[in-house]
Amino acid sequence: MSQVLVASNRGPVSFSLSEDGELTMRRGGGGLVSGLAAVTGAPRDPGPPRPAGTHAEPAGRDPDVLWVCASLGEADRTAARRSPDGRLDLAGYETGGAAVRMLDIPEATFHRAYNAVANSTLWFVHHLLYDTPRSPHFDARSRRDWQSYEAYNAAFANALARDASQGAKAAVQDYHLSLAPRMLRDRRPDLRIVHFSHTPWAPPEYYRLLPEDIGTQILLGILGADHAGFLTERWASAFLDCCEFLPGARVDRSARTVTCAGHTTHVGVHGLGVDGTALRQRAAEQDVTERARALREQVGDRQLIVRIDRTELSKNIVRGLAAYRELLVNHPEWRGRVVHLAFAYPSRYDLPEYREYTAAVQRMAKQISDEFGTPDWDPLILQVNDDYPRSLAAYGLADVLLVNPIRDGMNLVAKEGPVLSRHGCALVLSREAGAAAELSEDALMVNPYDVSQTAETLHQALLMPRARRAERCARLAAAATALPPQRWFADQLAALDPAG
């Protein structure tokens, strides 16, 4: 097998630093890490943190898979500096068999590239999040931020170019690294490169909110890859639509290719599902069982509406809570008979928009509890912290799973829930989630902006006969596991072969 290099902002492990300078390591978070870890041998279980520095890979090993990632904080930077040129696996850190190079990118450069460009600009564009009368506002500061984004991508391209063996395959992941494929091709034309977008892709009329030169550079950056992958046909088509506006580009819709500057990029669709076996095994462990028992004691025999999300603007948590409130207003028969369990753990707290959104979630939750709560019934349980075993336990107990994003590349919560459901849950799903392309036949679909429709759909879900709910849930689980991470990643690499 030829060498495979994986590049992503977040790596398979992360670190925390105690007051005495002791480093503690745990698996990195996020759906992308979960998907990639399944095929690279990196740690997948986000269990308790453990001291770093055990089970090192043999020094001098020539790995088949090398994962290049960024240091996300001071503890990560410390670990990278203590490792030979950032190679965690050669420094005694347990990386589950994967070779990992963690890049020590200067803090200011990382902050501007990650927060100002990737998360405050590109994420907002692809998820259609801007309040356009007020933002975006591209000025001199935006250009400085963009220079940091270029430097950040160049750091990845340099590391990949240096580490890659002749003819290796490089899998560059997500919107953080939109420029890296072109930069890497310029440095190592012998490599075969795939770029994969885990987000939606904006339609041209929204994409063109970006300054023309920046929008062009992003497209050209991805078109430096031999293969550009997307989660659904909808996002792939939107990318091709944007390429139509690129000067000198030739888009072939039937072949799904874009030719620009003498190079042809194939555009493919690779849906991402869940590893059902691994997920069920993890959910059977004692910490999950204990949390499930505690949750059942807390809610009694009431029906349970579950949502599990980061407090990410696109996840639409506030409207989901408003829909639950409207359910209780319009259908008072559910009062005392249902509990809404909302896991909304903080995300991107460096950005003021996200801090305010988390506060808005908490305000709405308090309003519901104050308005409807009784001494023997708490209508809403909100948890604003990340507890993975408790999330798995909630999946198993859910009668209804609410997934109502404004826009989502895929949304693995919509797939994990049915897989772990013990007695069959009804899925209330936004039509704007990428998962809708695979799950719409057996989910109850909603317009994420229509609070009243969502409230009525929750009512329908709660009324659904248990046998019918179980039948639909079984079909949802089958669809969710049809494209496990191993196949998702293997298909991308196979697309780089001449026959692919």
Side-chain angles (χ1 to χ4, degrees), residues 17 118 167 274 278 407 465:
L17 196 61
V274 298
R407 193 170 167 89

Side-chain angles (χ1 to χ4, degrees), residues 190-384:
D190 62 295
L191 302 182
R192 301 288 290 168
I193 304 166
V194 58
H195 181 276
F196 193 86
S197 295
H198 292 259
T199 64
W201 194 271
E205 60 272 20
Y206 207 90
Y207 184 80
R208 294 173 80 186
L209 289 175
L210 291 170
E212 187 172 349
D213 59 323
I214 289 177
T216 296
Q217 285 184 63
I218 291 169
L219 292 174
L220 290 176
I222 293 175
L223 292 175
D226 298 287
H227 189 80
F230 297 87
L231 288 164
T232 70
E233 282 287 349
R234 183 180 178 185
W235 313 141
S237 294
F239 176 75
L240 292 172
D241 291 341
C242 290
C243 289
E244 293 273 14
F245 291 88
L246 191 61
R250 188 173 71 255
V251 176
D252 185 332
R253 295 278 178 171
S254 60
R256 257 201 321 217
T257 61
V258 182
T259 301
C260 187
H263 177 73
T264 297
T265 301
H266 292 261
V267 175
V269 175
H270 307 280
L272 175 60
V274 298
D275 184 334
T277 300
L279 192 62
R280 292 184 183 104
Q281 288 174 347
R282 179 65 184 91
E285 294 184 11
Q286 183 176 354
D287 56 350
V288 179
T289 302
E290 291 172 352
R291 284 163 173 79
R293 186 182 304 114
L295 281 172
R296 182 48 70 192
E297 290 175 358
Q298 188 173 9
V299 302
D301 60 356
R302 299 178 176 94
Q303 290 210 61
L304 192 60
I305 299 173
V306 170
R307 81 167 304 134
I308 298 171
D309 280 310
R310 294 176 293 117
T311 52
E312 155 60 51
L313 304 181
S314 66
K315 299 300 183 183
N316 207 25
I317 299 170
V318 172
R319 287 192 188 91
L321 292 175
Y324 178 62
R325 179 189 174 276
E326 192 162 312
L327 168 74
L328 298 179
V329 169
N330 294 342
H331 298 281
E333 66 270 23
W334 288 116
R335 297 178 193 177
R337 297 174 53 208
V338 66
V339 174
H340 186 13
L341 177 60
F343 289 173
Y345 52 95
S347 175
R348 297 172 183 167
Y349 236 53
D350 291 340
L351 302 177
E353 298 96 331
Y354 285 80
R355 292 194 296 272
E356 168 52 31
Y357 193 73
T358 300
V361 169
Q362 293 170 320
R363 288 194 298 270
M364 177 61 77
K366 184 177 186 302
Q367 178 184 344
I368 293 170
S369 293
D370 290 347
E371 184 174 359
F372 299 103
T374 66
D376 60 352
W377 174 56
D378 188 351
L380 175 67
I381 300 171
L382 174 67
Q383 181 180 358
V384 189

Side-chain angles (χ1 to χ4, degrees), residues 46 148 172 249 282 308 390 422:
S148 291
V172 181
R282 179 65 184 91
I308 298 171
R390 197 170 192 226
R422 294 183 184 177

